Each structure stands twice: as structure tokens, then as C-alpha cells.
Amino acid sequence: MKKLFVLLLSFISCYSVWAQLAVVNDSAGFVAVRENVDAKSKITDTLHNGRVVLSFDVHGKWLFADYSRHGKTLSGHIPALRVTFFNNMTKFSKSSVNDSTIILSFDSMKIIIATGKFEKNKSTIQYGKRDVFVKSINGKFPYGTDGNLPRRQYKLINVHINGNSIAIDKNCWADLFEPSLALTNAFIDTSRKTIYLAAQNSDGAGTYTVVWEFKNGQYSNREVFLAE
């Protein structure tokens, strides 16, 4: 019964995050971010096609969504019909998954992710006041730790597209901790020739969602969303 309960929680959480992640997709090439749920409301920003957003609330035909701008997380209202949700894209299959490795595949494309124990002796750790909470690891904010020392970390992320191998640079995942392979999936938007590799990770409190983007066979971008 306990195993069934854990699996059910994983399914609900996984469905939830894929239902919330979306990509701006408008015939005009962009969408206006508005202050309120009203087409006449003040425009606070503009998001171009391809921008990944994380939607938390739906208000009729409007989404209240988070997006990043210059390293900061911003929020606003955008029309729900102007985005394509991840769960409406083609999803990669999980051909292999265990505690440390996952393989995602679709057609001639394959993604391999390996994780392992956090290597404290190889890391520079800076603590905050009273040497209790972890402030940074190797000079960067540690996602997923909520102030604690991490238990697990990414070891590698390799993407194979049509025979070409793309190894994501360590700088694109070295600050991300407590990876959850059970809540990791990949999606492809064939119209934009873009692959989205997404994961929802946490140590139990420091939940975050990360999306890596691969466009035209090359790594292009990373977005990180922190849970409020």
C-alpha cells in the first residue's frame, strides 16, 4: 500500500508540472504580458515565441505564469490560447530508469542522464550566518537544497540527435541538486524543431523546475523556476 501511495504521488506531481509548463506560440510572434486578467490591462512585458513559462493558475482564458528575465523570476497574465503546453507535445519514452540513470528516447534521439552522491570533498561550500545554512556551492546558489547540504547531484547529461552527440557543459547543471529522475521527461515540439528536457527536483522543501532547450540539434538555453 505504501508503494502504491508513493507511485500515486509521483504520478500526480509529474502530471501537474507537465500540465503547467508551456511555450509561447502566437501567430504574431509574441504575446503581451498583462498586469490583470483583461485585454485592456497594462502591458508589463512582451514574450516572444519559444519562451518557456510556468503557469500556476488559470483564470478563464488567461494564465498567471512565471518567466525569467535577466536572472530574475517575473510573473504576469497571458492568454491561454497563445501557448503550447508540454503535455500536448510529443513525449519521449523512458527506456531505462533506476536510482542513478535514466534514458529517454524518441525516434533517432536519445537523452542519457546520470546522477550520483554529492561530492562534498570536491566542492567549495559557503555557509551563511552561524555556519548553519548553505549559501553557495562552488560560488553559485544551490538549487534544491533549501539551505541544507545536498545528498545527490547530476553527473552528466548527454543528448544524441541523429547520430550527433551533445554533452551539456557542466556549468549548465552543476548548481542543480537533488535530481529526481522519476520526475524527469523530455518533449519535442516538431514545428519549432526544439527538444525540451524538464525535471522537477527537490530535497523535500527546496522544489524547483528546470528546463533545458535544444534547438536545431544544439543546446540553446536553460530556465529554472523556483517554487513559491
Side-chain angles (χ1 to χ4, degrees):
M1 180 63 71
K2 183 178 180 181
K3 289 184 178 180
L4 179 61
F5 179 70
V6 172
L7 286 173
L8 181 60
L9 284 180
S10 295
F11 172 79
I12 293 172
S13 180
C14 189
Y15 174 80
S16 176
V17 71
W18 312 142
Q20 293 170 338
L21 284 166
V23 178
V24 174
N25 183 17
D26 187 85
S27 59
F30 66 92
V31 65
V33 180
R34 296 188 181 273
E35 191 173 51
N36 297 306
V37 184
D38 187 340
K40 296 181 180 180
S41 175
K42 178 183 177 181
I43 295 177
T44 59
D45 207 342
T46 300
L47 302 179
H48 289 86
N49 281 0
R51 175 63 69 89
V52 175
V53 299
L54 182 61
S55 171
F56 292 100
D57 297 304
V58 179
H59 303 281
K61 297 180 180 180
W62 293 84
L63 303 176
F64 183 70
D66 281 357
Y67 62 96
S68 63
R69 178 78 75 188
H70 304 306
K72 296 182 179 180
T73 298
L74 304 176
S75 302
H77 297 88
I78 58 176
L81 295 178
R82 307 292 177 86
V83 302
T84 299
F85 285 95
F86 277 30
N87 62 350
N88 290 327
M89 298 180 187
T90 300
K91 185 179 178 181
F92 280 51
S93 62
K94 294 183 179 181
S95 56
S96 177
V97 59
N98 54 46
D99 290 340
S100 60
T101 307
I102 186 173
I103 299 176
L104 304 164
S105 57
F106 171 72
D107 200 9
S108 61
M109 294 166 279
K110 182 168 64 175
I111 300 173
I112 302 172
I113 304 173
T115 65
K117 292 182 179 180
F118 173 61
E119 298 176 322
K120 181 180 178 181
N121 60 334
K122 295 182 180 180
S123 304
T124 301
I125 303 170
Q126 182 180 358
Y127 291 88
K129 294 181 178 179
R130 300 180 183 178
D131 294 333
V132 176
F133 299 107
V134 176
K135 185 178 181 180
S136 69
I137 297 177
N138 298 325
K140 294 185 176 182
F141 173 78
Y143 290 99
T145 65
D146 198 37
N148 303 311
L149 275 176
R151 292 167 295 181
R152 298 190 65 79
Q153 64 185 63
Y154 285 104
K155 292 294 184 179
L156 67 85
I157 301 177
N158 286 341
V159 179
H160 302 269
I161 302 176
N162 300 324
N164 297 318
S165 180
I166 306 170
I168 300 183
D169 188 272
K170 185 178 180 179
N171 291 326
C172 298
W173 48 259
D175 56 342
L176 306 175
F177 297 96
E178 309 302 352
S180 174
L181 299 183
L183 297 179
T184 299
N185 272 301
F187 305 82
I188 183 168
D189 184 344
T190 54
S191 65
R192 298 184 57 80
K193 298 181 180 179
T194 302
I195 296 172
Y196 300 96
L197 173 61
Q200 188 179 62
N201 301 327
S202 172
D203 68 347
T207 303
Y208 68 95
T209 299
V210 57
V211 179
W212 293 277
E213 302 173 36
F214 303 86
K215 189 172 179 62
N216 296 321
Q218 299 292 327
Y219 172 74
S220 62
N221 191 35
R222 184 191 85 168
E223 301 279 4
V224 180
F225 302 92
L226 284 172
E228 296 297 332

